[in-house]
Amino acid sequence: MAETSPDRKALHAASRNERLSGLLSRVALKDQSAFAALYEQTSSHLFGVAVRIVREAPAAEELLQEAFVNIWHHAASYDASRSQPFTWLNTIVRNRCLDWLRRRELLTVPLATEEDEGGGFEPPSGDPTPEEMLLNGADAHAVRQCVETLDAGPRQAIALAFYQGMSHAELAKHLRQPLGTVKSWVRRGLEKLKRCLDHAGFARN
Amino acid sequence: MNLSDPARSQRLDALAAEYALGTLPARTRARLARAALGDAAVASAIRGWELRLAPLADGVAPITPPPWIWQAIAARLGMTADPTLETSWWTRVALWRGLALAGFVTAFALAITLLAPRQEELQQPIVAVLADKDGKPALIASAQRGERFMTVKAVGVATPEAGKALELWLLPTGAAPRSLGVIPAAGVSRVTLAAPPEIALAQIPALAVSLEPAGGSPTGAPTGPVLYTGKIERMY
């Protein structure tokens, strides 16, 4: 395990987090230039996250705006002792996108065709698959080893849910499995992931 | 939530895991988020899973958002010190340009109008997103069936220079534009309709906003450049 790249990644992440922490504390004091810098440094990543989850560029554009409006208003509630700034920002964006997606499923709105034609999102060519992202993302962390212990089914289901916001029903359709099977893949996969992470000392809280 | 009960705490953890992963259905998701506000055990279970899954987001390749998004955020927050807003394109916009571009934005606004409000508010609205020539949304107009006004929300409007005002127009098919009055460049405003929207807007395919002298066009027809246009979409 004498890889250098995970270390470099960890260093990079640490300096990024330090920078973002500083910006967030200035944003909490309503410093507009700090807010602009925060946007500059994080919007591409956060937009990448949002676009893949909601899978529609116009929706992702709106949700990114809402997320940053939210960040501006709530930066003061960011608690550095509880989470890394990047995690905090990511969580705000993910939750907003997931709320939007799940709420939309409650109301079947006959806009599918229009959306499919207009604002549909095609992943950039050469975009890694959700499973590749899962392993890339987990690089540099105990998480990677734990992700690798998952069976193919649960791993794929968790990757598609995390990166593409798929619901149980969508997973079942996409993976051509009964609903009960994907539900249990997700549940057991998460349980296994937790046992493995906790065993590896990934208890960050 | 009784933490001494292992079965309940296990169930809570399973819910928190799927909350963070995103697979919980809307209602369960909303219930858990509400519970987290008043219950430290729920909040901590969710946070634990958000932290556990957080490293996975590092694997996502960034995508640069379109530049107008920053301007829209700054506009929403009333941050006026944005030099990129001071461009001159809007002095030369042709009336119907931007309609096609605005179309796809409208589809999204419809979705938002339908989805964002509580269910009892979902009453077949009429919606238009007015966008600039580049398709950047500036105003969202909506009207509910049976009501006598249209609600106009500014989402990315460049503040007009002193002595100028924004005027909203109906663009009827084969007839001259009809004024709906002057609208503010920020916030939410209401414009009165002569009849409920299903009648007043029946033959109106689009709306437009032009730049006029303060107080509105002195001639009753648009005199200044057209800044924003948008197609009217009906949900019935």
Side-chain angles (χ1 to χ4, degrees):
Chain A
M1 288 300 291
E3 287 177 54
T4 51
S5 91
D7 291 344
R8 225 178 306 130
K9 269 196 175 181
L11 263 180
H12 172 73
S15 79
R16 177 185 65 185
N17 273 324
E18 204 173 309
R19 209 169 53 235
L20 296 181
S21 262
L23 287 175
L24 267 177
S25 55
R26 282 167 56 202
V27 172
L29 300 171
K30 303 295 173 204
D31 178 335
Q32 293 189 9
S33 65
F35 185 60
L38 185 74
Y39 180 86
E40 172 87 34
Q41 292 178 30
T42 59
S43 58
S44 297
H45 177 85
L46 297 174
F47 190 58
V49 168
V51 162
R52 288 179 179 85
I53 293 177
V54 301
R55 285 162 278 159
E56 282 170 35
E61 288 163 2
E62 172 65 22
L63 290 160
L64 185 71
Q65 288 178 53
E66 289 176 9
F68 270 95
V69 168
N70 201 316
I71 289 163
W72 171 255
H73 290 307
H74 295 103
S77 71
Y78 167 68
D79 181 348
S81 68
R82 286 186 156 179
S83 62
Q84 304 283 10
F86 207 62
T87 303
W88 189 74
L89 295 167
N90 243 315
T91 305
I92 288 177
V93 170
R94 277 184 59 80
N95 279 336
R96 224 155 236 283
C97 292
L98 291 167
D99 286 343
W100 184 85
L101 257 192
R102 297 288 94 90
R103 210 161 47 213
R104 188 174 62 166
E105 287 156 13
L106 276 186
L107 314 156
T108 23
V109 186
L111 283 170
T113 9
E114 212 168 338
E115 283 169 0
D116 288 349
E117 287 166 6
F121 168 73
E122 289 294 319
S125 60
D127 211 27
T129 67
E131 276 190 277
E132 285 164 355
M133 286 194 246
L134 192 66
L135 290 168
N136 288 343
D139 228 10
H141 297 277
V143 183
R144 178 176 182 128
Q145 284 169 304
C146 291
V147 163
E148 281 174 339
T149 67
L150 298 177
D151 293 335
R155 182 157 75 189
Q156 210 179 353
I158 287 174
L160 287 165
F162 186 83
Y163 294 107
Q164 299 192 356
M166 285 197 188
S167 64
H168 290 136
E170 286 171 310
L171 289 172
K173 199 174 156 207
H174 189 89
L175 298 171
R176 301 204 175 99
Q177 295 289 330
L179 187 60
T181 304
V182 295
K183 279 188 176 175
S184 118
W185 277 356
V186 170
R187 196 186 61 243
R188 285 189 293 117
L190 288 168
E191 280 167 10
K192 191 169 182 187
L193 203 55
K194 186 188 182 196
R195 276 198 305 275
C196 177
L197 288 171
D198 290 355
H199 181 72
F202 185 74
R204 284 216 254 163
N205 202 28
Chain B
M1 192 67 57
N2 180 2
L3 275 178
S4 62
D5 179 342
R8 290 192 79 181
S9 100
Q10 210 175 351
R11 170 150 172 74
L12 168 60
D13 197 63
L15 280 172
E18 298 222 24
Y19 179 90
L21 183 66
T23 40
L24 284 189
R27 290 197 178 91
T28 320
R29 190 174 165 78
R31 253 198 320 268
L32 200 67
R34 265 198 310 275
L37 295 176
D39 188 329
V42 179
S44 138
I46 291 177
R47 201 169 49 243
W49 272 104
E50 284 171 348
L51 291 177
R52 258 178 222 117
L53 298 182
L56 303 182
D58 291 349
V60 175
I63 299 176
T64 305
W68 62 260
I69 291 199
W70 168 248
Q71 296 169 23
I73 293 169
R76 279 185 185 198
L77 294 173
M79 296 178 183
T80 46
D82 186 350
T84 47
L85 288 177
E86 291 163 17
T87 48
S88 62
W89 57 264
W90 46 283
T91 54
R92 296 185 308 274
V93 182
L95 187 59
W96 291 89
R97 274 163 67 189
L99 276 188
L101 276 163
F104 91 95
V105 185
T106 311
F108 172 64
L110 288 173
I112 286 296
T113 311
L114 283 172
L115 298 169
R118 291 188 300 279
Q119 242 165 324
E120 60 265 33
E121 292 172 359
L122 305 177
Q123 295 165 353
Q124 302 160 319
I126 290 174
V127 187
V129 174
L130 285 86
D132 68 26
K133 69 163 176 28
D134 296 318
K136 178 198 156 195
L139 296 146
I140 298 170
S142 64
Q144 298 291 339
R145 232 176 162 168
E147 289 178 344
R148 296 293 284 268
F149 60 86
M150 182 184 274
T151 306
V152 182
K153 180 177 186 187
V155 292
V157 174
T159 309
E161 59 195 275
K164 295 284 186 181
L166 302 173
E167 191 162 1
L168 181 63
W169 302 88
L170 301 174
L171 304 180
T173 316
R178 289 208 305 274
S179 176
L180 284 175
V182 170
I183 54 164
V188 178
S189 55
R190 280 185 177 189
V191 295
T192 308
L193 296 173
E198 63 271 30
I199 298 160
L201 304 178
Q203 303 298 318
I204 313 290
L207 299 174
V209 167
S210 66
L211 188 66
E212 301 294 342
S217 161
T219 67
T223 61
V226 171
L227 305 183
Y228 312 114
T229 53
K231 267 198 281 192
I232 290 180
E233 300 285 351
R234 291 169 180 80
M235 296 312 293
Y236 52 83

